[in-house]
Amino acid sequence: MTSPSNRGAPVSTEPRINDRIRVPEVRLVGPNGEQVGIVRIEDALRLAQEADLDLVEVAAQARPPVCKLMDYGKFKYETAQKARESRRNQQLTVIKEQKLRPKIDPHDYQTKKGHVARFLSHGNKVKVTIMFRGREQSRPELGYRLLQKLAEDVAELGFVESNPKQDGRNMIMVLAPHKNIKARPVKQDQDDVVEGDDAAE
């Protein structure tokens, strides 16, 4: 039979505090981490009230449960702040793609290289794809040399994370930014749209 207290209620992930702790005794920890010992729940609640703190259950599975005297409101606020800070510091890895042809025109190469350099400088990884057509497929070394040249040209901004490898009619290499280059906040710049393949042979 479901008890009236939890009928239809969502399962709470928050610790029980103060009079929600319904056990006869607890192992009490003071506000500075000092071990008080096993005390009756009434005494623990009285100590919390006298210190103007909350009694918070920090280890419900222990026998008896471990409770700590703390300012629960302040604790929740600081925990939320730390979680926010952690999310802010997390770099969201974005993989951009740049497509090239093995017989690319020198001017087009400079343009594409500029895109790759900008992506890396923004802290993004870049998947560089060489697309082979027709008889070009019998000359994979052309694509390999082109990828090597590109990696050397942007070596100040990034390094080869995944070496060139053949994937069907394409050859793929992944470049990653150096550790000291921080990712920018995720915001799609108009000029960050990756160009498609070159129409010209």
Side-chain angles (χ1 to χ4, degrees):
M1 176 122 179
T2 311
S3 65
S5 61
N6 63 10
R7 186 185 296 136
V11 177
S12 174
T13 55
E14 299 214 337
R16 292 185 296 184
I17 65 169
N18 301 327
D19 55 4
R20 291 192 199 144
I21 303 168
R22 298 195 175 113
V23 291
E25 57 184 21
V26 297
R27 184 178 296 278
L28 188 62
V29 179
N32 298 314
E34 66 276 15
Q35 297 291 328
V36 178
I38 296 173
V39 299
R40 293 186 313 150
I41 188 67
E42 297 86 354
D43 296 333
L45 286 167
R46 179 175 51 76
L47 286 168
Q49 198 168 17
E50 287 172 0
D52 198 22
L53 293 170
D54 298 299
L55 183 67
V56 182
E57 190 177 57
V58 293
Q61 306 306 319
R63 289 290 174 267
V66 180
C67 293
K68 185 174 181 181
L69 297 173
M70 68 170 78
D71 181 337
Y72 187 58
K74 183 181 175 186
F75 169 76
K76 276 186 75 174
Y77 173 76
E78 288 175 351
T79 303
Q81 286 286 89
K82 282 177 189 168
R84 243 196 312 274
E85 193 64 31
S86 171
R87 281 196 300 273
R88 194 179 298 129
N89 291 337
Q90 240 177 13
Q91 290 188 14
L92 184 59
T93 303
V94 177
I95 298 184
K96 301 284 190 178
E97 183 170 17
Q98 187 65 69
K99 295 180 177 178
L100 306 163
R101 295 294 311 286
K103 295 177 182 174
I104 189 168
D105 172 88
H107 174 72
D108 285 344
Y109 172 78
Q110 291 301 323
T111 302
K112 298 295 179 80
K113 184 184 78 174
H115 290 319
V116 172
R118 188 176 66 252
F119 296 150
L120 291 169
S121 69
H122 286 190
N124 299 319
K125 292 185 179 184
V126 188
K127 181 169 96 170
V128 185
T129 304
I130 302 284
M131 298 174 302
F132 297 97
R133 287 181 185 160
R135 286 174 299 180
E136 291 173 349
Q137 293 178 66
S138 63
R139 300 286 308 280
E141 70 278 3
L142 293 176
Y144 186 79
R145 281 204 295 268
L146 184 59
L147 289 175
Q148 278 191 314
K149 174 176 166 54
L150 179 62
E152 287 167 10
D153 287 348
V154 296
E156 285 186 9
L157 295 167
F159 62 95
V160 178
E161 185 181 73
S162 177
N163 287 314
K165 61 176 182 284
Q166 195 82 27
D167 181 17
R169 287 168 46 172
N170 299 329
M171 185 175 282
I172 294 167
M173 174 180 77
V174 177
L175 295 167
H178 292 305
K179 297 289 183 196
N180 60 343
I181 298 174
K182 299 290 183 191
R184 291 192 179 183
V186 180
K187 173 178 171 290
Q188 184 69 37
D189 297 327
Q190 283 301 311
D191 60 352
D192 271 8
V193 177
V194 182
E195 290 189 3
D197 61 10
D198 299 300
E201 285 286 342

